[in-house]
Amino acid sequence: MRKPILLLALLLPAGVSGLGAQTEYYARLGAVGASNLLRDVIVNQITVRQSIAPMLALGASLPIGAQGYRAGIEGTLVSGKFHSSETGTETDLGTIRTGSVMVDLEGPLYRDFRWRAGLGVLQYWPKDKEGIFGTGGTARFLAGAGLDYRRPVLPAWDLMTSLRYDWHRFTTGELERRGFSQTQGVSRVSLSVGLSRSTRR
Amino acid sequence: MSRPMRWTAAALVVAGAACSDIATPIRIDFYEWRLIVPKASGSGEDSLTFHWPHSRIPVRIWVEDAADLPGNMPKAIAAWRAAFLYHEFDATVVSDSGTADVIVRASSAPGTQFARVRLHSALAPECAGATDLDISDDHTQLRLPVRIFINPSADPNSPGLPECLALTTTHELGHALGIWRHSVTPTDLMFVDPVVTAPSDRDLATAEMLYHVPANVEAVGR
C-alpha cells in the first residue's frame, strides 16, 4: 500500500513529462467529525469519541483516459480533542492528531460535481502516551469516498468544496494488551472548502 | 443465487463487518477494596467505597522532603495512573501542604488524632507505612487531608531500604486512591506486607473497577 502512495507522491509534483500541465493541485480547510472510537463496559457503558476538529487536506491528481477520470493522492491532517462519556459525564482525554494518505480515483458525476473513492492509511498520533494510547499511536487501513464541487473563481483557480466519508477499524496496542478483541468500526465525515489549481487552459 | 442477490448479500456482510463493535475484555480479576466497618447506627456492617471524583482530579499531594518521597511519589502516581484508560484518576505533587488533599510524611504514624481508620501496612524491617482516613461518624464523608506516613525504620544504609520506601509509597498511595483493604495475595502490591515493587495486574484491575462503582463516601474539606 505504501509503495504506490510513495510513487504517486513523487511523480505528481515532479510532473511526469507531458502531464505537468494537466496535474491538478488543491488545498482545503474544513472540519471532520467521527463516530465512536471505542465502546467499553466497566459497570456502565463508556464511549470514546473524537470531538469535531479542524482539518487540512492537500492533494493532487492526474488524468487517466479520455472520459474525465483522474487518479490522485490526498493527504489530511486533523488535530483535536477526544473524550470519554459515562452515564452522561464527559471526561477530556487529551489531544489526538491524525494524518491520512489516500490514493483515489475520481470521475465526473453531474455538471460541476465529481465523485471520488480511494484507499489509504490513517495514523493516530496521541499527544500523550496514556489511557487507550498507553503504548502509543496506531496505523489503520482506510477506505473512503466523497463528492467534490468545483466552481471557477479565478482564471487558474477553482473554488473546491468537498464532502468526504471514510471508514476504518480502530484499536490500539494498549487495548489489545488489556484483552480487547476485534476492532471498532469508525466512520468519519468531513466538509471542507479550498482552492484547486484548474486544468482548464 | 441471482447476481443482484449475490451483491446484496455481499453488501450486507460488508455492512455487518463495518458496524460491529470492539469486544470488551471480561474484568473479573479484582479483589475486595471496600472498607467493612460496624454500621454507624444499629447492628450489621457498612461497606465503604471511596474514589476521588472528577471535580477533585488531579488529587493534590504534598510530600515531606525526606525518605526519598519527592522522588518516589511521582513514580507511584505514574504506576497507578497506568491502571486507567479513561483518565479516572490523576494526582500531582504540590508545594503547599495547606491546600493538599493528601499529606505524606516521613515518620511513624502518630497517635490517632487524625484518624478514625488507620490502614497499617508494609511491616518489613526496613520501613513501614500507614494511611489515616478521617471518616465521619455516619460513614458518609472522608474529611481531608488523607495522611500517609512512610517510616524508614532501619539503618539508612540498609541495602533494602530504597526499594522498601519506593514500594511502600506506591502501596500507601493505593490506599489514598480508594483501595481501603489489603489484598490477600502476596503477589499484589496491596498485600499487607508487600514484596512486589509495582502494582500487579490485579491491583490495577481493582483500582480501575472501583472508579466505576458509585462511591458512598464523599471527600469534604480543602
Side-chain angles (χ1 to χ4, degrees):
Chain A
M1 176 58 72
R2 292 187 182 181
K3 279 185 180 172
I5 292 172
L6 190 62
L7 188 62
L8 209 51
L10 291 171
L11 288 178
L12 287 174
V16 181
S17 178
L19 294 176
Q22 298 176 67
T23 305
E24 189 178 273
Y25 303 97
Y26 56 82
R28 304 188 316 271
L29 285 173
V32 59
S35 63
N36 290 330
L37 285 177
L38 180 63
R39 282 180 207 273
D40 191 5
V41 177
I42 312 175
V43 183
N44 305 299
Q45 180 174 272
I46 303 160
T47 56
V48 177
R49 178 181 283 227
Q50 289 175 278
S51 305
I52 292 174
M55 179 192 76
L56 168 68
L58 299 171
S61 65
L62 286 170
I64 50 170
Q67 307 294 316
Y69 293 102
R70 302 180 72 87
I73 183 168
E74 181 173 294
T76 67
L77 284 173
V78 177
S79 180
K81 310 291 273 184
F82 70 118
H83 60 270
S84 66
S85 300
E86 181 180 7
T87 59
T89 303
E90 287 199 352
T91 304
D92 179 9
L93 299 180
T95 299
I96 185 79
R97 296 186 180 92
T98 58
S100 70
V101 178
M102 187 178 282
V103 176
D104 50 29
L105 186 68
E106 62 168 272
L109 188 66
Y110 175 71
R111 292 189 177 175
D112 293 331
F113 287 93
R114 294 176 68 79
W115 60 265
R116 179 184 295 263
L119 295 170
V121 177
L122 173 69
Q123 173 74 44
Y124 283 84
W125 291 290
K127 189 178 174 198
D128 300 303
K129 272 189 175 182
E130 60 182 23
I132 65 172
F133 293 104
T135 56
T138 182
R140 314 301 304 172
F141 284 104
L142 186 70
L147 282 177
D148 292 336
Y149 173 76
R150 286 182 173 83
R151 186 98 191 155
V153 288
L154 292 168
W157 295 92
D158 291 348
L159 179 71
M160 182 180 184
T161 304
S162 295
L163 179 66
R164 292 277 192 276
Y165 168 84
D166 63 50
W167 174 87
H168 64 281
R169 296 213 60 102
F170 177 81
T171 190
T172 65
E174 179 67 20
L175 293 173
E176 288 172 352
R177 191 184 71 77
R178 288 177 180 245
F180 286 79
S181 55
Q182 302 176 41
T183 51
Q184 175 78 38
V186 180
S187 298
R188 304 193 309 167
V189 175
S190 68
L191 185 62
S192 56
V193 179
L195 288 174
S196 166
R197 177 183 170 275
S198 173
T199 54
R200 296 183 311 276
R201 297 289 158 91
Chain B
M1 189 184 283
S2 67
R3 198 170 178 183
M5 286 285 282
R6 280 200 299 269
W7 279 107
T8 304
L12 285 173
V13 168
V14 170
C19 296
S20 64
D21 284 349
I22 198 166
T24 62
I26 298 168
R27 296 172 169 97
I28 52 172
D29 196 15
F30 55 89
Y31 49 80
E32 176 64 84
W33 67 81
R34 296 172 300 174
L35 181 65
I36 312 294
V37 293
K39 216 169 181 58
S41 58
S43 59
E45 292 177 323
D46 281 336
S47 301
L48 307 186
T49 289
F50 168 79
H51 58 73
W52 297 93
H54 280 291
S55 58
R56 286 190 178 270
I57 287 174
V59 175
R60 294 159 299 175
I61 301 176
W62 180 87
V63 296
E64 189 175 345
D65 187 7
D68 294 338
L69 287 174
N72 286 334
M73 184 53 74
K75 292 175 192 165
I77 293 169
W80 284 112
R81 196 164 48 196
F84 301 102
L85 283 175
Y86 310 113
H87 206 205
E88 295 94 327
F89 171 81
D90 196 6
T92 185
V93 175
V94 296
S95 57
D96 182 5
S97 63
T99 60
D101 302 310
V102 179
I103 289 178
V104 188
R105 292 200 176 276
S107 65
S108 60
T112 53
Q113 71 266 34
F114 297 126
R116 303 295 178 99
V117 174
R118 171 164 292 167
L119 302 169
H120 281 288
S121 38
L123 305 173
E126 295 89 354
C127 71
T131 299
D132 282 0
L133 307 170
D134 187 3
I135 297 169
S136 63
D137 289 338
D138 62 0
H139 298 164
T140 62
Q141 294 183 328
L142 171 66
R143 287 188 281 260
L144 300 180
V146 172
R147 293 177 188 273
I148 291 175
F149 301 94
I150 308 291
N151 184 23
S153 54
D155 171 4
N157 298 318
S158 167
L161 181 61
E163 292 76 15
C164 184
L165 291 172
L167 73 88
T168 303
T169 302
T170 309
H171 174 104
E172 299 305 329
L173 183 62
H175 287 315
L177 69 82
I179 302 176
W180 283 1
R181 286 275 287 272
H182 285 121
S183 163
V184 295
T185 306
T187 51
D188 294 333
L189 183 70
M190 295 311 290
F191 184 63
V192 66
D193 188 7
V195 290
V196 296
T197 56
S200 65
D201 287 344
R202 273 164 44 85
D203 291 315
L204 298 177
T206 302
E208 181 184 51
M209 184 60 66
L210 86 89
Y211 271 76
H212 293 273
V213 171
N216 57 11
V217 177
E218 173 194 16
V220 296
R222 297 286 157 145

